[in-house]
Amino acid sequence: MTTLTAAGIEPLFRLLGRYMPLQEEDRTALLTLEAGPVCVGDARSDIAREGENPSVVRLLVSGWACRYKDLPDGRRQIVGFFLPGDFCDLNIYILKELDHSIGALTAVRYYEIQPQQFQSVIEERPQLLRALLWHEMVTSGIQREWLLSIGQRSPLERLAHLFVELYYRLQAVGLATGHSFDFPITQNHLAEANGLSLVHLNRTLQEMRREGLIELSDKQLRIGDLDRLKRVAMFNSNYLHFNRAERA
């Protein structure tokens, strides 16, 4: 067993620091977590499958992954994106079996942490525990916004909302430069996350390009006018709680 590296936990520490003021002792506590060697997953491979008995807490270090559900006829709905610094379901180990699958959208690297180790650390660092609870609340908030998008937002509004959300999430962990960020996922992934056909998705992306809202090329997404994109999406960032630490 090895302990987590400073580089491995940096996105997580930045993210949690958005919710609660954390101290260097909290970073040190995270570094005492023991894990096996960094796990590697190929793009389009599963990290965990529905029906499996989960036994570890997974921390994504690099790459993009997703939570998804399949129908018996093969249709798939992506119900969440995991970005560097995210736990792939923090309390997943309390389940007897998974009710969803976790898939790598790109090549990924992640740690597998034993639940007992994790529990011991957060019990000793109450501020860290509070930050993790806020993170779980934000995860629930994201799910509510996705449900609202599928049920009520137009395709243009859905994509605009998702792009703004991803921008803020990546910015929080230091992975957005200006209004640009790596965007390594495919149109198939976008269609499966937004409940759209590929044809409808492509038309909507073309409309966004024509309107100067986004530029998407070479696996990079640049937001042309963030304020305008937020207005199109009717975006309210309150569900992300990224200014929580300032208020605290």
Side-chain angles (χ1 to χ4, degrees):
M1 300 291 285
T2 59
T3 55
L4 276 60
T5 66
I9 69 154
E10 185 58 30
L12 171 64
F13 195 75
R14 283 191 183 209
L15 183 61
L16 296 181
R18 292 290 190 120
Y19 307 128
M20 298 293 294
L22 297 180
Q23 301 175 354
E24 192 58 34
E25 289 83 356
D26 295 306
R27 181 195 295 269
T28 302
L30 288 173
L31 287 170
T32 66
L33 286 169
E34 292 184 353
V38 177
C39 300
V40 177
D42 296 328
R44 298 179 298 280
S45 66
D46 281 329
I47 297 171
R49 296 295 304 274
E50 183 170 357
E52 290 179 352
N53 180 14
S55 59
V56 294
V57 177
R58 294 180 178 88
L59 172 62
L60 193 63
V61 175
S62 66
W64 288 37
C66 72
R67 182 189 294 113
Y68 73 88
K69 295 279 290 184
D70 277 337
L71 290 175
D73 62 6
R75 284 177 291 169
R76 174 170 298 182
Q77 180 71 40
I78 290 176
V79 295
F81 286 131
F82 295 117
L83 307 177
D86 284 338
F87 286 105
C88 298
D89 291 329
L90 187 57
N91 298 313
I92 202 170
Y93 59 88
I94 68 175
L95 301 175
K96 290 186 177 180
E97 67 174 47
L98 278 175
D99 57 9
H100 61 274
S101 297
I102 300 171
L105 300 175
T106 68
V108 296
R109 296 166 61 245
Y110 59 94
Y111 286 114
E112 291 187 341
I113 305 165
Q114 294 300 316
Q116 298 85 353
Q117 272 273 323
F118 191 77
Q119 193 68 32
S120 175
V121 166
I122 61 177
E123 285 176 356
E124 293 173 2
R125 303 299 306 175
Q127 197 77 336
L128 195 57
L129 172 59
R130 293 188 189 99
L132 288 165
L133 290 174
W134 272 103
H135 182 49
E136 289 299 284
M137 289 174 63
V138 168
T139 299
S140 296
I142 290 172
Q143 292 284 271
R144 288 189 290 272
E145 286 295 328
W146 279 42
L147 180 59
L148 179 60
S149 285
I150 294 293
Q152 296 297 329
R153 290 189 175 105
S154 70
L156 177 62
E157 293 163 352
R158 287 182 214 176
L159 284 176
H161 198 278
L162 178 61
F163 291 156
V164 175
E165 177 185 286
L166 290 172
Y167 163 70
Y168 279 124
R169 289 178 62 190
L170 289 164
Q171 183 192 53
V173 295
L175 294 177
T177 304
H179 289 162
S180 300
F181 51 90
D182 287 340
F183 196 75
I185 61 175
T186 67
Q187 288 195 15
N188 268 326
H189 298 144
L190 277 178
E192 290 171 347
N194 287 279
L196 299 172
S197 69
L198 276 174
V199 171
H200 205 160
L201 174 78
N202 191 265
R203 287 175 181 166
T204 307
L205 288 174
Q206 293 300 328
E207 180 183 355
M208 298 180 83
R209 288 187 174 106
R210 285 194 304 270
E211 293 295 323
L213 293 171
I214 63 162
E215 294 178 12
L216 183 57
S217 63
D218 298 325
K219 297 185 177 181
Q220 280 271 322
L221 190 145
R222 189 183 76 82
I223 297 174
D225 186 332
L226 180 60
D227 288 337
R228 188 170 163 226
L229 192 64
K230 288 167 68 174
R231 287 196 298 272
V232 169
M234 294 175 282
F235 190 89
N236 185 338
S237 63
N238 64 352
Y239 71 102
L240 295 174
H241 297 287
F242 281 157
N243 62 346
R244 164 68 190 172
E246 296 172 9
R247 294 201 305 271

